[in-house]
Amino acid sequence: MNRPDLVRGDRRNFLGAAGALLLAGCAGTTLDPRAGAIAELGGTGKLRAAINFGNPILANRGPGGEPRGVSVDLAREAARRLGLAIELVPFNSAGSVVEAVKAKQVDLAFVAIDPVRAADTEYTAPYVVIEGAYLVREASPLRRNEEVDRAGTRVAVGRGSAYDLFLTRELKAATLVRAPTSPAVVDLFLSQQLEVAAGVKQQLEADARRVGGVRLLPGRFMAIEQAMGVPKDRLAARAWLGGFIEEMKASGFVAEALRRHGIEGAAVAPRAS
């Protein structure tokens, strides 16, 4: 004879065991960030990494035109650890990279952290910190960064760059004039007889040597934190890349890449708190 209480007990035990197995399965998925990162980053069968040639700190072209730089090294190493083929997707400006991330045309990007971009991008902690600087003509009366924000001062910036976004928020009296890319800023500054050019310090230093008759204002107007970014809501990818980038900083990988590519003036970002 079947006893109802025993049947109910067996059913409870069965359901409890099934629930435990289900939770274990979910926990296994949740606790394996690499598997989640592969699913979110490798949907096309490869890792599509945006490489921005508009920022010489991050990337440039080698003698044969091949991409090289710290961002290229990090992209290749991330793909290797995930077991994914790598596709390096070139861009000439940060603004174009951000649009590609937003449209999910790339899986991974190397971009400056900015609150405006956060609407479409998930960031890791920064891996390098670089400086934004101002450039003026030798005869310019401007001597300090604080003197730039005045009525009548026109500042050339790269459209959609981190310093474009920053200066759009910060400058109250000066006017921004946008070049299509960051490398075109100084040429625009010269051709339109503008008062100031703004950009990555190393790019401006190189341009100053190229054109002559110009100088950088002392110091910096902003610190630019460069991070790895993925399209919005790819949280497993962000989690795995967050651990990856901390390891790359701590192991000396980032510092060695900067040294190997001859990059000066960029500092490895501190460990994330």
Side-chain angles (χ1 to χ4, degrees):
M1 180 180 297
N2 291 329
R3 290 178 53 189
D5 57 331
L6 292 179
V7 172
R8 286 194 297 271
D10 290 343
R11 184 180 295 117
R12 283 195 299 270
N13 291 337
F14 171 78
L15 292 174
L21 288 171
L22 179 61
L23 289 173
C26 293
T29 301
T30 302
L31 295 176
D32 187 0
R34 181 176 177 273
I38 292 171
E40 292 182 355
L41 296 175
T44 62
K46 54 193 173 185
L47 176 62
R48 301 169 300 171
I51 302 299
N52 177 22
F53 290 119
N55 187 335
I57 296 295
L58 304 185
N60 50 62
R61 296 187 186 275
E66 70 280 3
R68 56 185 298 180
V70 61
S71 61
V72 176
D73 294 347
L74 287 168
R76 293 190 187 280
E77 181 64 13
R80 185 188 70 79
R81 294 190 177 205
L82 292 170
L84 294 171
I86 184 72
E87 179 185 356
L88 301 177
V89 185
F91 294 88
N92 292 320
S93 70
S96 298
V97 171
V98 171
E99 289 303 311
V101 172
K102 183 177 180 179
K104 297 182 171 59
Q105 295 170 344
V106 296
D107 307 301
L108 173 65
F110 298 85
V111 290
I113 296 173
D114 186 90
V116 173
R117 294 174 178 171
D120 303 299
T121 306
E122 302 285 354
Y123 292 112
T124 66
Y127 60 95
V128 296
V129 179
I130 59 181
E131 295 180 333
Y134 290 132
L135 177 143
V136 298
R137 289 175 178 76
E138 286 285 4
S140 171
L142 298 175
R143 296 291 170 183
R144 300 166 56 245
N145 291 324
E146 295 77 11
E147 297 171 355
V148 168
D149 193 13
R150 293 177 177 175
T153 299
R154 297 164 299 169
V155 182
V157 297
R159 186 181 304 277
S161 63
Y163 49 92
D164 178 10
L165 299 176
F166 176 83
L167 293 175
T168 296
R169 294 190 296 268
E170 296 298 317
L171 294 183
K172 308 304 180 186
T175 302
L176 295 178
V177 181
R178 293 176 174 86
T181 67
S182 295
V185 163
V186 170
D187 290 337
L188 177 73
F189 158 78
L190 293 173
S191 66
Q192 296 194 13
Q193 295 292 307
L194 305 179
E195 288 72 35
V196 179
V200 174
K201 186 174 184 178
Q202 287 76 7
Q203 178 72 60
L204 295 181
E205 289 173 337
D207 286 333
R209 293 189 293 268
R210 174 174 64 87
V211 303
V214 295
R215 58 184 168 82
L216 271 68
L217 296 184
R220 68 190 188 193
F221 66 82
M222 72 175 297
I224 306 170
E225 295 182 323
Q226 292 288 338
M228 301 178 87
V230 297
K232 196 68 176 176
D233 298 327
R234 294 190 181 180
L235 301 182
R238 183 186 66 178
W240 185 86
L241 288 169
F244 168 78
I245 206 63
E246 291 306 312
E247 181 182 343
M248 294 298 96
K249 291 187 293 186
S251 68
F253 183 101
V254 175
E256 171 58 22
L258 292 172
R259 185 201 64 77
R260 184 170 59 255
H261 296 296
I263 302 302
E264 299 179 356
V268 178
R271 180 179 177 179
S273 58

